[in-house]
Amino acid sequence: MIEIGKFIVGVLIVLGSLLSILTTVGMLRFPDTYTRGHAASKSATLGIMLILIGTALYFWITEGYISGKVILGIVFILMTTPVASHLITRASYNNGVALWKGSVRDDLEKKYKQQKKQ
Amino acid sequence: MSFQILLNVIIALLWMFFQNAWNGLAFSKGYLVGIIILFCLRRFFPTRFYIQKLVAIVYLLLLFLVELLKANYSVLKEVIRPTLKIQPGIFALPLEVEKDWEIMLLANMITLTPGTLVVDISDDNSVLYIHAMHIDDVHEAIDDIKNSFEKAIMEVSR
């Protein structure tokens, strides 16, 4: 029973680490701030969540200790990461960071033009 | 909703007084009895029976987790594709939900769903500006968000 549990924990932690690595690759490959935000906000959240779930499971299986702090950590990561990425992209749009040249559509432009006129 | 939960807890406490048993088991039994009583009396409350709302919240949570997995899969596909084949852009999404917390929840869920990222919200809280990875299927994305998330959130707040 414990061996199966350890196997599951291993799979979770390896998956989480892989996701984190691929997030980093995405950060390097994507062309502009906004597309990088996609990679950072999604894959990083799930990667860290998987690693933390693996940690909590490991201590539960091997030592019978349920760590409340790790579970709280998972919840907080899930709540705060999207807000942080939203704020970063919003701040960069406010400061006039241009979209990638391949971008095809920009509905937000009108709003800021109107604000400038007023 | 909170009033009904409070009532249910009070019924459970009453049950413990009747049994003269002071432990978690008696409380759980009393709580179950309370749920049955509240279900029978549900037409006297101005709001919905609260278990229905609880089910809606759990459904929203599950939807969220499934979408999170899908989002990661779609981002990873873009990351490991040899040639960059994305078509990013910003589109506007008209909102139906009105309360602040509903908009907050919707924005968070959109950020963690496949190929979309919230950039800004209009000043009168009626339009959400979303950055999408593939702009060519915007209408599909709008329909998707409308049908799944907004409906689920409205189901909770109804």
Side-chain angles (χ1 to χ4, degrees):
Chain A
M1 195 61 212
I2 286 180
E3 289 305 312
I4 299 171
K6 276 183 183 168
F7 179 73
I8 294 170
V9 167
V11 168
L12 280 178
I13 288 183
V14 167
L15 264 181
S17 323
L18 267 179
L19 266 175
S20 303
I21 290 174
L22 285 171
T23 310
T24 323
V25 174
M27 296 286 272
L28 293 172
R29 279 199 63 194
F30 282 150
D32 69 347
T33 319
Y34 308 100
T35 39
R36 282 187 192 135
H38 280 274
S41 68
K42 290 174 184 111
S43 317
T45 320
L46 193 66
I48 293 169
M49 266 176 67
L50 285 179
I51 292 174
L52 285 181
I53 290 171
T55 315
L57 268 182
Y58 177 78
F59 283 109
W60 186 34
I61 290 165
T62 56
E63 295 179 20
Y65 170 72
I66 298 173
S67 173
K69 284 172 207 157
V70 173
I71 293 162
L72 270 185
I74 294 168
V75 174
F76 277 121
I77 292 273
L78 198 62
M79 286 198 310
T80 52
T81 322
V83 178
S85 82
H86 166 63
L87 280 179
I88 290 169
T89 48
R90 190 189 158 134
S92 52
Y93 201 98
N94 265 324
N95 286 323
V97 175
L99 275 81
W100 182 46
K101 58 184 186 321
S103 308
V104 278
R105 193 168 156 184
D106 194 355
D107 291 347
L108 192 51
E109 222 177 354
K110 287 178 225 157
K111 184 193 160 192
Y112 279 92
K113 268 185 188 160
Q114 273 177 0
Q115 270 184 1
K116 263 184 193 164
K117 269 182 198 168
Q118 280 166 10
Chain B
M1 181 184 175
S2 42
F3 174 68
Q4 289 182 41
I5 293 175
L6 185 66
L7 216 55
N8 206 339
V9 169
I10 290 172
I11 290 172
L13 285 177
L14 260 180
W15 185 262
M16 284 162 84
F17 272 101
F18 287 150
Q19 305 283 315
N20 210 8
W22 306 98
N23 49 38
L25 185 69
F27 185 83
S28 316
K29 276 183 193 162
Y31 203 85
L32 278 179
V33 171
I35 287 175
I36 294 166
I37 291 172
L38 286 181
F39 180 72
C40 294
L41 299 177
R42 67 189 179 283
R43 73 189 179 90
F44 294 103
F45 297 112
T47 53
R48 278 190 305 165
F49 181 48
Y50 82 97
I51 299 288
Q52 272 178 342
K53 207 164 181 173
L54 220 59
V55 169
I57 290 172
V58 170
Y59 174 73
L60 192 66
L61 204 66
L62 287 180
L63 188 75
F64 182 59
L65 287 178
V66 170
E67 290 293 329
L68 183 63
L69 288 177
K70 273 203 246 169
N72 276 283
Y73 176 66
S74 74
V75 167
L76 290 188
K77 232 171 42 186
E78 296 303 332
V79 168
I80 55 181
R81 182 175 286 164
T83 55
L84 211 58
K85 221 174 91 185
I86 55 175
Q87 228 183 10
I90 295 177
F91 69 91
L93 174 84
L95 282 175
E96 273 176 51
V97 289
E98 279 159 1
K99 286 179 209 128
D100 280 351
W101 68 267
E102 289 171 336
I103 295 172
M104 184 270 292
L105 208 59
L106 187 64
N108 273 4
M109 291 180 83
I110 287 170
T111 300
L112 289 179
T113 48
T116 48
L117 190 67
V118 175
V119 180
D120 209 341
I121 183 168
S122 68
D123 297 327
D124 55 350
N125 287 0
S126 66
V127 180
L128 214 56
Y129 295 98
I130 299 173
H131 183 271
M133 211 62 140
H134 299 282
I135 203 77
D136 46 330
D137 43 38
V138 162
H139 295 287
E140 209 177 307
I142 290 180
D143 281 350
D144 238 32
I145 292 167
K146 281 251 181 261
N147 286 332
S148 57
F149 293 138
E150 248 186 330
K151 224 183 227 172
I153 289 174
M154 278 170 156
E155 190 68 27
V156 170
S157 68
R158 195 165 57 128

